[in-house]
C-alpha cells in the first residue's frame, strides 16, 4: 500500500524554488494526489500558485525510496502560500481542506506522516507570543480528525536569511518563531524539528531557493527516519543531493519524461514516436 504524507503550511512547504535550478526528480514510486487520483510526481507538487516550484517533499520522497526499495510514497499537497497560523485554525477552510484531502487519500493509502512548514507570516507584530498554543490546537485537532493520534509530525524551522531584504525583510521576529517551533517539537510527542540553518533564499528574500529545498527535504527525511531532531546541516549535503539525481530511470519513467517533453514542445511528435519505439524494442 502507498505510504502517504500530508504537506501543510505555507509557501516554503508548497515550494517556490525555481524549477530549472535543479535536476528534476522522476520516480514512478513517488505519487502525488491530484484530481482525486494518485499520479506520478511532477514538480511543482503543491500547485497553490502559478509561481509554485521546488518544495522539500520531492527530495524527502526520493530519499525515502532510496532507503526503502519496496515502498511507494504518496504526497498530499495542501500547503497554501502566505497563510498565517490563524488561517489554519480548525474552523477555517485550509484546515478542513487538509482533512478532506487526507481522508480521501487514506481510502487507498496509509497516512504515515505530516510535513509542516509555516511561520513567515507570523514573524511580526508579536504573533510569536501565542504561536505555540495555536499550533497545538491545530495539530491536536488534525490528529484527532484523522484518527491518527500518534502520527509523526516533522516541522521545519525558518530560514536565517529572513528579516534582511525583499519580501522577507518584514519577518523580523523569525528567531522567536523558531524558538516556539523548537519548543513545540521538544514538548510534543512524535514531533521532530528540522533546522533551516545554512539554507539560502531566492532573490525575494523569503522563499528558499531550489537547492536549499532539496537539502531541506533530506533533513526532513533524516528526522523522520531516525525519529530525531535535526539541529544542524547534514554531512555531505551537496553530495547527497547529487546522489538522488543520479538514479537510472526505469522504462516507465523514461516514457513519462518523453511525454513531458512532447507536451511542452521540446520535441516533435515524430521524435517522440521514434524514441518511444526504440524504448519498446529495448
Amino acid at each position: 500500500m502507498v505510504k502517504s504524507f500530508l504537506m501543510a503550511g505555507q509557501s516554503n512547504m508548497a515550494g517556490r524554488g525555481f524549477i530549472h535550478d535543479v535536476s528534476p526528480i522522476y520516480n514512478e514510486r513517488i505519487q502525488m494526489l491530484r484530481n482525486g487520483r494518485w499520479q506520478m510526481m511532477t514538480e511543482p507538487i503543491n500547485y497553490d500558485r502559478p509561481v509554485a516550484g521546488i518544495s522539500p517533499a520531492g527530495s524527502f520522497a526520493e530519499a525515502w525510496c532510496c532507503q526503502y526499495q519496496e515502498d511507494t510514497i504518496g504526497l498530499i499537497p495542501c500547503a497554501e502560500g502566505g497563510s498565517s497560523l490563524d488561517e489554519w485554525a480548525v474552523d477555517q477552510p485550509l484546515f478542513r481542506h487538509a482533512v478532506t484531502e487526507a481522508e480521501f487519500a487514506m481510502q487507498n493509502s496509509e497516512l504515515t506522516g505530516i510535513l509542516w512548514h509555516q511561520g513567515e507570516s507570523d514573524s511580526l507584530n508579536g504573533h510569536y507570543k501565542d504561536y505555540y498554543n495555536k499550533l497545538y490546537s491545530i495539530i491536536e485537532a488534525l490528529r484527532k480528525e484523522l484518527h491518527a493520534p500518534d502520527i509523526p509530525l516533522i516541522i521545519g524551522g525558518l530560514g536565517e536569511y529572513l528579516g534582511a531584504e525583499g519580501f522577507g525583510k518584514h519577518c523580523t521576529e523569525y528567531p522567536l518563531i523558531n524558538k516556539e517551533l523548537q519548543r513545540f517539537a521538544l514538548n510534543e510527542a512524535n514531533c521532530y524539528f528540522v533546522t533551516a540553518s545554512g539554507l539560502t533564499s531566492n532573490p525575494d528574500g523569503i522563499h528558499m531557493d531550489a537547492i536549499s529545498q532539496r537539502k531541506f527535504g533530506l533533513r526532513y527525511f533524516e528526522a523522520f527516519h531516525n525519529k530525531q531532531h535535526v539541529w544542524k546541516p547534514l554531512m555531505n549535503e551537496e553530495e547527497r543531493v547529487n546522489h538522488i539525481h543520479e538514479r537510472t530511470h526505469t522504462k516507465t519513467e523514461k516514457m513519462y519524461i518523453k511525454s513531458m517533453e512532447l507536451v511542452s514542445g521540446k520535441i516533435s511528435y515524430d521524435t517522440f514516436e521514434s524514441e518511444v519505439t526504440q524504448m519498446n524494442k529495448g
Side-chain angles (χ1 to χ4, degrees), residues 48-73:
D48 64 318
R49 300 283 192 283
V51 293
I54 302 298
S55 77
S59 55
F60 169 87
E62 183 70 16
W64 186 290
C65 288
C66 289
Q67 183 70 34
Y68 302 105
Q69 298 291 325
E70 303 302 318
D71 286 350
T72 296
I73 299 302

Side-chain angles (χ1 to χ4, degrees), residues 4-9 13 60 76 88 95 98 102 111-117 138-144 146 148-156 190-192 220 224:
S4 58
F5 292 84
L6 176 64
M7 300 166 57
M13 177 52 68
F60 169 87
I76 310 166
W88 279 95
F95 180 90
L111 188 63
T112 304
I114 300 171
L115 310 181
W116 174 271
H117 190 277
I138 294 165
I139 300 304
E140 183 182 41
L142 193 58
R143 285 170 163 167
K144 182 178 180 180
L146 298 176
D150 300 318
I151 192 167
L153 170 71
I154 312 300
I155 54 176
N190 298 312
C191 183
Y192 305 97
Y220 268 74
F224 191 99

Side-chain angles (χ1 to χ4, degrees), residues 100 104 106 111 124 127 132 156 171 173 175 195 198 203 222-223 257 274:
T100 299
F104 187 87
M106 290 167 69
L111 188 63
L124 69 167
H127 293 310
Y132 189 112
C171 303
E173 296 174 357
T195 183
E222 193 79 7
I257 293 168
S274 174

